[in-house]
């Protein structure tokens, strides 16, 4: 695992900013890290990047312990914090050269040019950072985070302030990066999560309330999968209720709305049911909810 978090807790006075959360992230995975303001997202990211210590629990990045091997952890991570800290009086290229020196990079000019090209900063490379729009400043932050070719990227609101065209470009950039790196992405833009991420973690009031793929989250809420099934023949609802895990069957137009609480794939069970009872299954689909609806349900 690239990132491993075990029972991490962070307490400020009487407030539990992060409350006993655990998760892992694998190489090549883009994880959407979601939660309302004050949920503990940024605190968790700061712990993983060794900016602040945890109160309890353990975490490692690429096998290095965040407490005992903090320097090695920092070498593995590229970090773009929520409030992008830049030296506004420096020129774009000058700032990236400065960042390369801090990272101990030798003969870094080729890598700097590559990052300027990738992040679309070519027209702005000779400008002072203070002269740039917020969107271009975000690009400078992304270039800095990726400069030393880290194995793990932790991005806190990376597309804040970008216009629609820049959003598409940066999203594509993150998707390409995620093919061979681990990316943890915090954002409030649900379309962004749907477009980029393989998996979602949602935390609320410091606690982990969801950890699953987007499709699984959308089809399963509160342990219930809802399937809409349409048969050619009239089907006795009581027969469907005898399937292990089916909790409710109701008519919905020409289809039957079936609620299922088991762990198996309900579509497979219904197909077997149709074959066993010599029924013709005309249509079968899982009812899904939007990521926004799921977020509201889990965090309200």
């Amino acid at each position: 695992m690239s990132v491993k978090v075990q029972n991490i807790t962070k307490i400020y006075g009487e407030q539990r900013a992060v409350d006993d959360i655990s998760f892992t992230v694998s190489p090549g995975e883009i994880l959407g890290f979601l939660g309302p303001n004050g949920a503990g997202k940024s605190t968790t990211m700061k712990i993983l990047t060794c900016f602040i210590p945890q109160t309890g629990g353990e975490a490692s990045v690429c096998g290095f312990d965040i407490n005992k091997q903090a320097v090695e952890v920092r070498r593995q991570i590229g970090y773009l914090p929520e409030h992008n800290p830049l030296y506004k009086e420096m020129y774009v290229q000058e700032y990236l050269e400065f960042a390369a020196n801090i990272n101990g990079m030798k003969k870094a000019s080729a890598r700097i040019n590559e990052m300027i090209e990738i992040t679309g900063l070519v027209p702005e490379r000779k400008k002072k950072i203070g002269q740039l729009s917020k969107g271009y400043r975000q690009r400078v932050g992304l270039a800095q985070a990726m400069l030393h070719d880290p194995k793990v990227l932790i991005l806190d609101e990376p597309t804040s302030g970008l216009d629609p065209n820049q959003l598409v470009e940066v999203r594509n950039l993150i998707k390409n990066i995620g093919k061979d790196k681990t990316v943890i992405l915090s954002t409030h833009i649900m379309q962004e999560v749907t477009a980029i991420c393989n998996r979602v973690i949602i935390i609320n009031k410091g606690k982990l309330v969801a950890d699953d793929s987007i499709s699984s989250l959308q089809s399963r809420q509160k342990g219930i999968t809802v399937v809409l099934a349409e048969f050619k023949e009239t089907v006795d609802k009581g027969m469907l209720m005898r399937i292990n895990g089916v909790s409710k069957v109701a008519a919905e137009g020409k289809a039957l709305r079936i609620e299922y609480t088991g762990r198996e794939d309900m579509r497979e069970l219904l197909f077997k049911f149709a074959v066993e009872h010599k029924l013709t299954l005309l249509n079968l689909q899982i009812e899904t909810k939007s990521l926004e609806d799921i977020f509201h349900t889990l965090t309200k």
Side-chain angles (χ1 to χ4, degrees):
M1 294 296 173
S2 288
V3 178
K4 187 174 183 180
V5 174
Q6 293 178 292
N7 308 111
I8 284 291
T9 297
K10 181 64 178 179
I11 301 173
Y12 294 104
E14 296 181 358
Q15 180 189 2
R16 284 181 172 263
V18 179
D19 192 357
D20 194 33
I21 68 171
S22 300
F23 62 89
T24 58
V25 196
S26 302
E29 193 168 26
I30 303 178
L31 174 71
F33 198 50
L34 310 180
N37 289 332
K41 305 186 302 298
S42 293
T43 300
T44 303
M45 289 179 162
K46 288 175 182 176
I47 290 170
L48 287 175
T49 52
C50 306
F51 271 73
I52 60 174
Q54 74 273 36
T55 306
E58 299 176 347
S60 62
V61 176
C62 299
F64 298 106
D65 185 276
I66 61 170
N67 291 323
K68 299 174 183 176
Q69 299 164 296
V71 173
E72 288 298 330
V73 168
R74 290 188 179 106
R75 287 183 179 138
Q76 310 302 317
I77 289 177
Y79 180 39
L80 178 61
E82 181 180 4
H83 302 291
N84 190 1
L86 298 170
Y87 294 105
K88 296 180 182 179
E89 71 279 6
M90 296 181 79
Y91 294 93
V92 171
Q93 180 147 350
E94 179 189 16
Y95 173 75
L96 293 177
E97 289 170 354
F98 171 71
N101 287 331
I102 288 176
N103 281 291
M105 298 174 63
K106 297 178 180 178
K107 299 180 180 179
S109 58
R111 180 65 177 172
I112 290 169
N113 289 334
E114 183 184 2
M115 287 299 98
I116 287 173
E117 182 75 33
I118 286 174
T119 53
L121 285 167
V122 173
E124 315 296 325
R125 69 190 303 161
K126 294 183 180 180
K127 286 185 180 180
K128 285 188 175 182
I129 292 172
Q131 296 175 310
L132 303 180
S133 67
K134 186 175 181 181
Y136 275 111
R137 290 182 194 179
Q138 284 297 99
R139 293 181 184 222
V140 175
L142 275 170
Q144 175 275 136
M146 296 185 294
L147 191 59
H148 59 294
D149 197 21
K151 293 180 180 178
V152 178
L153 267 178
I154 296 181
L155 309 175
D156 199 353
E157 302 286 350
T159 57
S160 174
L162 302 183
D163 66 36
N165 291 331
Q166 292 171 335
L167 273 173
V168 172
E169 292 170 5
V170 173
R171 284 175 186 173
N172 290 335
L173 172 61
I174 293 170
K175 284 179 75 172
N176 287 331
I177 291 166
K179 291 176 182 178
D180 59 357
K181 296 185 187 299
T182 301
V183 180
I184 299 177
L185 169 74
S186 171
T187 181
H188 288 295
I189 305 170
M190 297 301 154
Q191 300 95 322
E192 191 163 279
V193 177
T194 304
I196 298 175
C197 300
N198 316 112
R199 180 173 139 230
V200 171
I201 281 177
I202 301 176
I203 63 173
N204 187 41
K205 296 178 181 177
K207 290 185 176 292
L208 193 150
V209 295
D211 181 358
D212 214 332
S213 67
I214 294 174
S215 59
S216 294
L217 276 176
Q218 289 177 321
S219 63
R220 178 180 291 274
Q221 274 295 286
K222 295 182 179 178
I224 299 172
T225 301
V226 178
V227 178
L228 298 176
E230 184 181 349
F231 295 89
K232 183 178 181 180
E233 301 82 6
T234 301
V235 178
D236 181 10
K237 296 175 188 176
M239 293 169 62
L240 286 165
M241 287 294 295
R242 288 195 284 272
I243 297 176
N244 188 34
V246 172
S247 58
K248 185 178 179 180
V249 181
E252 189 166 304
K254 294 181 180 180
L256 292 171
R257 188 176 187 275
I258 304 164
E259 294 187 7
Y260 175 68
T261 58
R263 299 301 302 176
E264 295 182 66
D265 190 327
M266 186 58 190
R267 295 168 298 182
E268 185 177 344
L269 294 178
L270 282 173
F271 180 76
K272 290 178 180 177
F273 172 85
V275 171
E276 182 181 343
H277 293 89
K278 298 180 179 179
L279 299 170
T280 307
L281 190 58
L282 298 176
N283 191 27
L284 183 62
Q285 66 182 74
I286 293 178
E287 187 179 84
T288 61
K289 291 186 177 183
S290 71
L291 196 56
E292 287 90 344
D293 289 339
I294 295 165
F295 183 87
H296 290 315
T297 299
L298 293 174
T299 62
K300 66 183 178 181

